[in-house]
Amino acid sequence: MQLLHLMILLPFLFVVFIPFLYRRFNSQLHTGWFVLFIPLILLLYLVTFIPKVSNGNTIFVSMPWIPSYHIDFTIHMDGLSLLFGLLIAGIGTLVVLYSIYYLSKQREALHNFYVYLLLFMGAMMGLVFSDNIFVLYVFWEMTSISSFLLIAYWYERDKSRYGAQKSMLITIFGGLAMLAGLIMLSMISDTYSIREMVSGNRVTAFTSHDLFIPAMILILVGAFTKSAQFPFSIWLPDAMEAPTPISAYLHSATMVKAGIYLVARLTPVFGGAYEWFWLVTGVGLVTLLYGSINAVRQTDLKALLAYSTISQLGLIMSLLGLGSAALYYGLGDEAAVYAIAVFAAIFHLVNHSTFKGCLFMVVGIIDHETGTRDIRRLGGLMHFMPISFTLTIIGGFAMAGLPPFNGFLSKEMFFAAVINVIKMDFVYNNFIGTLIPVLAWIASAFTFVYCMILIFKTFKGKNKVPKVEKPIHEAPMGMLIPPLILGLLVILIFMFPNVLSAYILQPAWSGVLPELAEKGKLQIEISAWHGLNTELWMTIGVIVVGTILYLTLRKWYRVYLIYPEAATLNRLYDNALKIMELFSRRITDRYMTGYIRDYLVYIFVFIVVMVGGSLWLFDGFVYTPSMDAPVNIYEVSLVIAMVISALTVLLSKSRMTAVISVGALGFFVSFFFVLFRAPDLALTQLVVETVTTVLFLLCFYHLPQFKKEMSHLRFKVSNALISIAVGIVVTSVALSANGTRLFPSISSYYEDAYVLAGAKNVVNAILVDFRGIDTMLEILVLTIAGLGVYILIKLRLSGRGRDKNEEAK
Amino acid sequence: MIKGMLICSLFFLTFSIFAIIYRLVKGPSAPDRIQALDALGINIISGVAIFSVLLGNTGFFEFILLIGILSFIGTIAFARYIERGVVIERKHSE
């Protein structure tokens, strides 16, 4: 246990105190103020690592958790995890500050909110710093669960519960797939430590392993579901039912980037394989396009931002995919060209966290101050909320990729990366490969359109005050501070990108591509102006086309109406759930009939199939007549008599006949014991038989008077077949068992009973001496049966109650 | 000589048992069957006795006594059931 461990566990430890603080202090002070210190402490503590990590050092500390399985709580801090840690702690601080002003002290269950939030924060911290894959998985699932709790924070709303359930199902599905993938990965690499998987020459050895592709796909499913990639992106828009601070924190800045983190983290393991390149790049691009096109049609501001998050995550994901090509080229100079894509991904990740956090908070402010998030009801807010307007412009333009905001830089790098990809030798002259820049460009144009919608439809145009419930005014200062800080960061990153790059982005980059970093190939200078090159023309094209599209939005908006609602992914998800539920209910209804008869049929058929089947398959049936004892005439005639009385039981028309025949059968069985020289058995059998017969007669009295089934047993062909089959199987098993004796019986030992136990009766000596425990337990069984019968007869509570009710009637 | 006689009597006993079974299966009414069951017990008594002599074993004599008692009890139980509809009557004080 070291200070770093304590840092990760700090949110979890503090969670314990929140309810007490809430109960004690909430009437005077918003609980959020106590919580605020936790992310702040984390942030300040993590900042102290920046100089160390930016010099290329990594920190590695371990704490045993389950040592016998080599599962240790290992923390590995390199550039990548430090970057994520700073994002989590930094935006976490701002979000807590924002939530203090956003959530009402009187109306909301604040202790729940901050408990869930801190759980999430701790889980996310653990996720990015864990080196052991299983610890990573534990934290991964904790983020899913805490996200579930946070989405359903207003649990009395239907939509919140729906969104929470949906995100839970999808992310847990992905998480489980990822667990399988991680286990496969540990089998391939023979280690649980990501650091060890990445280091050394193991990478090349992996690709030839059979499990390489399955592990890759399963892990990617996990990453894609968490990061809302196509087609698993559907949970994110529904997760917008969460309070806005949560949307800003989880569903834009941190949790949805867990998948990105995982992909980046495992790039050294899987990168360089074609499948990885195409899967990550392809899915990323499709998500980018899907998100940006869908964002344009949204009328709810948060839904718009959700789809834009999906789209931006797709952008980052595709950049990571493109960057993985660097590993395909090994360590050559070409690799460095493609490695820039990874840098762009990391850069955009930071940028996105800043501007998207800012935008979500502004949307929260609008919602808070006007009471609606619907674009159609908003407009002309510019004069009422100038600061929010400025912040929206900053965030929106950054998202659209315009100067002078940080989005411009990463968008330019994105274009550079997609243009570079055409030169790649396995993409060259490939139709899909050349499609990549085109798709990226189209998606960027749509991005521009929805950014403009966000800014201008909300703040410009006619003032629709009558439609708005409250008198509009600017938000309190405390609510504005967090987005202001983020907005300031957006501009600062544009102004001084190289400071950020040198201290944070470069180390993170070398965390993704450690081998290239060792060779010193990863050096980059970000500049806002780098000549009139293709990227700049592409950006200008985006602006021109985007502006035209925005201005003519009303004319082509009908295009969206062509696409049928029934073919959306959400509908598919809903229908799939419904059909699965219906299908499983039908199947269950079908075989769980409620009749013991049917269940017995299953059991007997199972016995016949399993026992008979294995007898037949493995040639288990053996019959050796030499083992048989000689058969004499009494036994034969006794068997005939028994068969006749057994058949009489089956074919009898009245219960009485059946009981009498059972009695006769019992007599014959005891006679058999005589023939086989077992006097004790014969005695017991006879007594038990008589008692049973008398009990049967007792039962007769209690049978209901009406509907007495004096009819012939309903004959069913299937039942007859099954019973015959069971008889044949059991008989053949008995014959085979008799035919194959593996070792002689141990009964000769008991023949010395007189010497050993002082008993002449061997059977009784075995029962009470050699194996007395069995007898004791049999006595117990009889006692329990007797007590049970007594209780059943005496303790008829419900029956008595019913009788009284009937009397009352 | 004695063994031949014993086997011979066993043969007749078997024949009688089968005749009883015929009555047991066929017996038009329950009392017929109960009579058959009772007779079956008695036949088994003699069968076991002959076997004991054949085997030269006295271990089954208790069995003979027991079967006599139980066959009696069983028959009484059946008879009571047919006569009164119950085997064990409750007190009417309830």
Side-chain angles (χ1 to χ4, degrees):
Chain A
M1 183 85 130
Q2 298 189 9
L3 211 54
L4 260 173
H5 288 114
L6 204 65
M7 173 197 82
I8 289 176
L9 297 178
L10 181 66
F12 296 114
L13 297 176
F14 191 71
V15 155
V16 180
F17 300 105
I18 289 177
F20 299 108
L21 290 172
Y22 175 75
R23 174 163 282 196
R24 178 74 185 76
F25 295 110
N26 193 55
S27 48
Q28 296 110 40
L29 194 60
H30 198 283
T31 315
W33 290 111
F34 297 105
V35 179
L36 185 64
F37 291 101
I38 301 299
L40 202 60
I41 291 168
L42 295 183
L43 181 68
L44 294 177
Y45 182 62
L46 283 175
V47 165
T48 60
F49 285 95
I50 292 177
K52 219 174 181 181
V53 172
S54 64
N55 286 335
N57 298 317
T58 58
I59 294 122
F60 188 80
V61 285
S62 185
M63 182 176 82
W65 182 25
I66 314 175
S68 52
Y69 286 106
H70 305 292
I71 295 175
D72 299 326
F73 186 11
T74 314
I75 291 177
H76 178 224
M77 189 194 276
D78 64 350
L80 186 64
S81 40
L82 182 61
L83 163 68
F84 273 91
L86 287 170
L87 277 180
I88 294 159
I91 298 186
T93 315
L94 297 177
V95 159
V96 172
L97 183 62
Y98 178 78
S99 71
I100 292 171
Y101 289 93
Y102 186 84
L103 292 173
S104 156
K105 196 166 68 174
Q106 285 85 30
R107 285 196 304 274
E108 305 286 352
L110 288 174
H111 49 315
N112 290 350
F113 182 82
Y114 287 111
V115 164
Y116 301 158
L117 186 68
L118 278 190
L119 279 180
F120 171 79
M121 195 181 288
M124 204 61 209
M125 278 287 182
L127 169 63
V128 297
F129 285 113
S130 293
D131 184 50
N132 190 296
I133 51 173
F134 292 118
V135 179
L136 187 145
Y137 172 74
V138 168
F139 285 120
W140 182 280
E141 290 298 357
M142 279 171 74
T143 63
S144 294
I145 292 165
S146 48
S147 160
F148 168 77
L149 291 169
L150 283 167
I151 295 170
Y153 174 66
W154 287 310
Y155 54 82
E156 68 279 2
R157 298 182 188 171
D158 266 345
K159 278 178 123 182
S160 296
R161 295 199 302 269
Y162 172 77
Q165 188 203 36
K166 192 173 185 178
S167 73
M168 178 85 158
L169 283 176
I170 293 176
T171 52
I172 296 278
F173 159 76
L176 288 174
M178 189 190 81
L179 177 64
L182 289 176
I183 291 172
M184 285 181 188
L185 193 60
S186 72
M187 283 159 74
I188 301 171
S189 58
D190 201 27
T191 173
Y192 295 152
S193 160
I194 296 174
R195 199 179 57 130
E196 283 175 34
M197 284 174 196
V198 170
S199 69
N201 291 323
R202 289 181 173 183
V203 179
T204 43
F206 290 170
T207 37
S208 56
H209 200 283
D210 286 342
L211 288 177
F212 183 73
I213 298 293
M216 178 199 287
I217 290 170
L218 287 172
I219 289 176
L220 278 182
V221 166
F224 288 166
T225 50
K226 199 75 161 177
S227 282
Q229 299 293 302
F230 188 86
F232 306 114
S233 49
I234 49 172
W235 65 268
L236 190 62
D238 284 309
M240 291 301 132
E241 290 303 320
T244 306
I246 296 312
S247 307
Y249 189 40
L250 272 68
H251 307 123
S252 71
T254 52
M255 190 181 87
V256 288
K257 297 210 167 81
I260 304 271
Y261 169 78
L262 191 76
V263 169
R265 183 49 91 201
L266 293 176
T267 293
V269 179
F270 292 112
Y274 293 113
E275 295 86 354
W276 179 266
F277 175 85
W278 284 117
L279 270 174
V280 178
T281 314
V283 170
L285 276 174
V286 171
T287 313
L288 168 62
L289 204 59
Y290 165 82
S292 59
I293 291 176
N294 267 306
V296 176
R297 71 182 298 190
Q298 303 304 322
T299 52
D300 179 13
L301 285 174
K302 273 178 99 176
L304 186 149
L305 286 180
Y307 276 105
S308 94
T309 302
I310 292 171
S311 149
Q312 305 280 319
L313 290 169
L315 189 153
I316 299 171
M317 194 63 94
S318 66
L319 278 171
L320 281 176
L322 294 172
S324 74
L327 289 163
Y328 172 78
Y329 287 105
L331 302 172
D333 286 333
E334 280 175 305
V337 177
Y338 300 111
I340 291 174
V342 173
F343 182 85
I346 296 165
F347 191 27
H348 195 71
L349 186 138
V350 176
N351 293 342
H352 176 249
S353 300
T354 53
F355 64 68
K356 190 53 68 65
C358 171
L359 284 175
F360 263 112
M361 289 177 187
V362 170
V363 166
I365 289 172
I366 294 170
D367 190 13
H368 205 263
E369 301 307 329
T370 65
T372 181
R373 300 194 308 246
D374 196 325
I375 294 175
R376 289 167 299 190
R377 293 178 62 194
L378 292 167
L381 294 176
M382 194 172 78
H383 301 295
F384 299 97
M385 308 168 84
I387 305 175
S388 304
F389 176 57
T390 317
L391 287 170
T392 315
I393 287 207
I394 294 172
F397 280 4
M399 186 153 75
L402 299 180
F405 306 106
N406 59 8
F408 173 69
L409 302 174
S410 42
K411 188 60 74 74
E412 292 279 279
M413 293 176 86
F414 170 59
F415 284 147
V418 291
I419 295 167
N420 272 337
V421 84
I422 311 176
K423 298 177 198 147
M424 212 176 284
D425 58 5
F426 58 89
V427 173
Y428 190 64
N429 268 348
N430 184 330
F431 173 69
I432 301 169
T434 46
L435 208 62
I436 292 175
V438 179
L439 289 178
W441 188 83
I442 295 173
S444 297
F446 276 102
T447 306
F448 186 87
V449 174
Y450 72 68
C451 290
M452 295 307 117
I453 291 176
L454 174 67
I455 300 168
F456 292 112
K457 295 244 165 166
T458 323
F459 288 97
K460 297 284 280 180
K462 264 191 294 180
N463 187 359
K464 300 177 189 169
V465 177
K467 288 191 183 176
V468 167
E469 288 141 18
K470 297 187 217 167
I472 310 162
H473 54 80
E474 187 59 274
M477 213 48 216
M479 219 165 170
L480 283 170
I481 287 172
L484 272 174
I485 293 173
L486 287 173
L488 205 62
L489 271 176
V490 169
I491 298 172
L492 280 179
I493 291 173
F494 177 80
M495 299 293 183
F496 313 103
N498 290 312
V499 179
L500 178 80
S501 165
Y503 283 105
I504 294 169
L505 300 182
Q506 297 269 11
W509 192 15
S510 39
V512 181
L513 301 166
E515 296 206 330
L516 280 169
E518 276 169 28
K519 301 264 172 182
K521 301 252 182 198
L522 304 182
Q523 292 298 328
I524 193 169
E525 279 286 308
I526 311 168
S527 53
W529 175 256
H530 34 69
L532 274 174
N533 50 13
T534 330
E535 295 99 279
L536 192 65
W537 286 115
M538 280 172 86
T539 304
I540 292 170
V542 164
I543 296 172
V544 172
V545 174
T547 312
I548 294 168
L549 279 177
Y550 173 66
L551 292 176
T552 57
L553 185 62
R554 231 169 244 192
K555 295 198 173 112
W556 59 273
Y557 188 79
R558 290 171 164 279
V559 176
Y560 281 116
L561 304 177
I562 297 170
Y563 189 72
E565 183 75 14
T568 52
L569 285 170
N570 274 318
R571 189 59 69 85
L572 183 73
Y573 166 86
D574 289 340
N575 285 343
L577 269 193
K578 220 179 282 166
I579 288 170
M580 276 194 282
E581 209 179 301
L582 199 72
F583 185 68
S584 24
R585 186 182 297 149
R586 272 203 194 137
I587 288 198
T588 312
D589 283 350
R590 207 155 178 124
Y591 75 90
M592 298 303 284
T593 53
Y595 290 110
I596 291 183
R597 193 178 59 215
D598 291 342
Y599 305 146
L600 284 177
V601 166
Y602 306 147
I603 294 171
F604 285 126
V605 167
F606 186 78
I607 289 173
V608 169
V609 169
M610 293 309 287
V611 178
S614 46
L615 259 187
W616 184 64
L617 269 181
F618 302 111
D619 245 351
F621 182 71
V622 186
Y623 177 56
T624 38
S626 63
M627 302 286 273
D628 292 348
V631 181
N632 57 40
I633 182 83
Y634 332 119
E635 286 148 20
V636 173
S637 47
L638 200 56
V639 165
I640 291 168
M642 281 172 78
V643 168
I644 291 169
S645 28
L647 283 176
T648 315
V649 176
L650 286 182
L651 302 175
S652 59
K653 286 194 176 74
S654 75
R655 283 208 188 95
M656 199 67 172
T657 318
V659 170
I660 294 167
S661 304
V662 167
L665 198 57
F667 276 170
F668 287 131
V669 171
S670 64
F671 198 23
F672 238 119
F673 286 136
V674 172
L675 281 185
F676 290 135
R677 323 234 198 316
D680 294 304
L681 282 182
L683 286 176
T684 320
Q685 163 67 29
L686 202 63
V687 177
V688 170
E689 189 54 50
T690 314
V691 173
T692 321
T693 311
V694 174
L695 282 180
F696 273 135
L697 289 177
L698 271 176
C699 292
F700 271 25
Y701 174 74
H702 292 284
L703 284 177
Q705 285 296 314
F706 57 98
K707 245 170 80 178
K708 267 193 178 169
E709 201 184 343
M710 287 304 190
S711 63
H712 192 63
L713 264 182
R714 230 177 349 139
F715 188 78
K716 279 189 175 176
V717 179
S718 62
N719 286 4
L721 283 178
I722 290 168
S723 51
I724 290 168
V726 170
I728 290 171
V729 165
V730 172
T731 310
S732 49
V733 166
L735 284 177
S736 320
N738 191 40
T740 44
R741 293 231 170 105
L742 298 177
F743 43 80
S745 154
I746 57 162
S747 58
S748 58
Y749 171 79
Y750 296 118
E751 282 166 14
D752 291 336
Y754 190 65
V755 181
L756 293 166
K760 287 181 180 167
N761 187 331
V762 180
V763 173
N764 290 355
I766 289 174
L767 282 178
V768 300
D769 200 314
F770 294 115
R771 309 201 46 181
I773 297 229
D774 294 359
T775 312
M776 187 183 79
L777 295 178
E778 292 288 348
I779 292 167
L780 186 68
V781 168
L782 284 179
T783 316
I784 291 170
L787 283 175
V789 168
Y790 181 78
I791 289 166
L792 282 177
I793 290 170
K794 281 285 171 191
L795 213 66
R796 289 183 298 181
L797 293 176
S798 62
R800 259 180 221 158
R802 202 183 303 141
D803 287 347
K804 271 179 193 163
N805 285 344
E806 273 165 17
E807 276 167 26
K809 278 176 195 169
Chain B
M1 175 62 189
I2 183 118
K3 200 179 173 188
M5 276 175 69
L6 286 174
I7 287 174
C8 189
S9 49
L10 260 186
F11 172 75
F12 285 118
L13 213 54
T14 314
F15 178 77
S16 132
I17 285 177
F18 275 101
I20 288 165
I21 288 174
Y22 173 76
R23 187 46 61 207
L24 196 76
V25 175
K26 194 74 188 168
S29 67
D32 292 315
R33 294 199 173 93
I34 293 162
Q35 283 283 316
L37 196 66
D38 195 40
L40 188 67
I42 306 300
N43 275 294
I44 286 174
I45 287 177
S46 31
V48 172
I50 294 168
F51 261 104
S52 299
V53 179
L54 265 176
L55 297 171
N57 193 334
T58 56
F60 297 109
F61 289 178
E62 296 155 20
F63 180 77
I64 292 168
L65 288 175
L66 196 70
I67 210 168
I69 299 162
L70 290 181
S71 156
F72 170 72
I73 291 173
T75 312
I76 294 294
F78 274 116
R80 277 181 80 93
Y81 177 75
I82 287 171
E83 187 71 15
R84 311 198 178 169
V86 285
V87 180
I88 301 166
E89 277 169 285
R90 296 188 190 186
K91 285 173 189 162
H92 287 287
S93 62
E94 264 182 36

